[in-house]
Every structure is written in structure tokens, then in C-alpha cells.
Amino acid sequence: LAAISAGQTVVTGKYKEATMRIAALCCLIAGASAFAPAAISRSSTALNARVPEGDRSPEISEIYQLADRWAEIRLYSDEEAKEKLSGEEAEAYERYHAKVKEDIEKAQDLAMRMAKAVAIPQVAKKSKTQRKKDAWANKQARAAADAAYEASLTSSK
């Protein structure tokens, strides 16, 4: 007790265990909250909200009707579209779905090219026989090069 300076308290026994447990619990809670998803704040503005029925002009009402109709039409299957649509709606449906199919094909082509670029080509491992054949061919090529060198030395003298 003589080593303890003035103003310090000594925690012993069961109080020390309780303090350690509380400290460990606080660390666990703080660590777990670090990985919690952040709260998403919603904007209070409503830029995409519809104009109420009473405040709409006839033009805006017509635009909303067309938008609602198109929301139905674009989800039709090809068979449903042939049965239910005609005229301008059928043409718009065909243009839209032709563009969507074209975009899907382009995306698939791009994905295939990217996968091909990322894939590392695997070279087949040479067999023992092929390694021996390659070594023999290298030995023969060196011997031929040495012979050609020797011939060039003797012919230049």
C-alpha cells in the first residue's frame, strides 16, 4: 500500500472482475456498432411526386394517363402485345423491346469480352517425353550453330 500515491483507489477481489467484465462488454458493443449499417436519411422533397387531381391542367392529366398506360404496356409479353395492342402503341412497344433486346445483347457481348480478358490462359504442362525432345532439339541447334561458327572461322583464315 505504500507504493500507491495519494488520490488513487485500489480495486481488489470481485470488484476487479466486475470492472473487467463491464469493460469487455463495452468493447464488444462498440466493436459491433462499428459494423452496423448507417441509417439512410430520406429527403423531404418530393420532386417526382404527382400533382394532385385538383391542381392538374388538362395537359398534365393527359401526360399522366399516357405514362400509366405505358407502364402497363411495356410489361406485356410479345404474345400479349400482339393481341392487345395496335397502331402507335404496338409500334412503340416494338421499338422499345427491340432496343432493350439490342442493349441486352451488347451487355452480354461486353461481359463475354471482359471475362475473356480477365481469364488467364492455362498452358498445358509438357510431358517428360516432350521435355526430352525439346532438350535434344536445343542440343542439336547448339551443335549446328557451333559447327557454323567453326566453319566461318576456318573459311575466314
Side-chain angles (χ1 to χ4, degrees):
L1 290 174
I4 299 173
S5 64
Q8 288 185 340
T9 58
V10 177
V11 180
T12 58
K14 64 181 180 178
Y15 295 113
K16 188 174 185 177
E17 282 184 27
T19 305
M20 291 300 292
R21 286 184 183 158
I22 291 171
L25 181 63
C26 289
C27 288
L28 287 174
I29 291 171
S33 67
F35 295 102
I40 299 172
S41 62
R42 299 284 180 194
S43 176
S44 61
T45 61
L47 296 176
N48 292 329
R50 288 187 167 220
V51 177
E53 289 272 341
D55 296 340
R56 291 183 191 168
S57 66
E59 294 85 19
I60 292 177
S61 294
E62 183 180 347
I63 290 171
Y64 283 161
Q65 288 173 353
L66 290 173
D68 291 340
R69 178 69 179 142
W70 179 248
E72 287 178 26
I73 291 173
R74 73 185 175 116
L75 298 177
Y76 285 166
S77 66
D78 289 339
E79 295 80 27
E80 284 180 310
K82 287 179 183 176
E83 292 174 8
K84 297 179 181 179
L85 302 178
S86 63
E88 188 178 319
E89 288 180 343
E91 291 173 15
Y93 176 85
E94 291 297 325
R95 280 193 314 268
Y96 174 75
H97 280 278
K99 178 71 173 146
V100 168
K101 289 175 186 174
E102 181 182 325
D103 289 346
I104 289 172
E105 288 173 4
K106 285 181 182 178
Q108 288 174 338
D109 181 48
L110 179 64
M112 292 299 290
R113 283 193 264 151
M114 287 175 60
K116 187 177 179 182
V118 170
I120 299 171
Q122 297 294 324
V123 178
K125 187 175 179 182
K126 290 184 179 181
S127 66
K128 184 176 182 179
T129 308
Q130 186 61 45
R131 285 195 307 268
K132 286 183 177 183
K133 287 178 182 178
D134 290 346
W136 176 252
N138 287 338
K139 188 175 181 180
Q140 293 296 319
R142 268 183 291 176
D146 288 343
Y149 178 71
E150 291 292 329
S152 69
L153 287 178
T154 58
S155 64
S156 65
K157 289 186 179 180

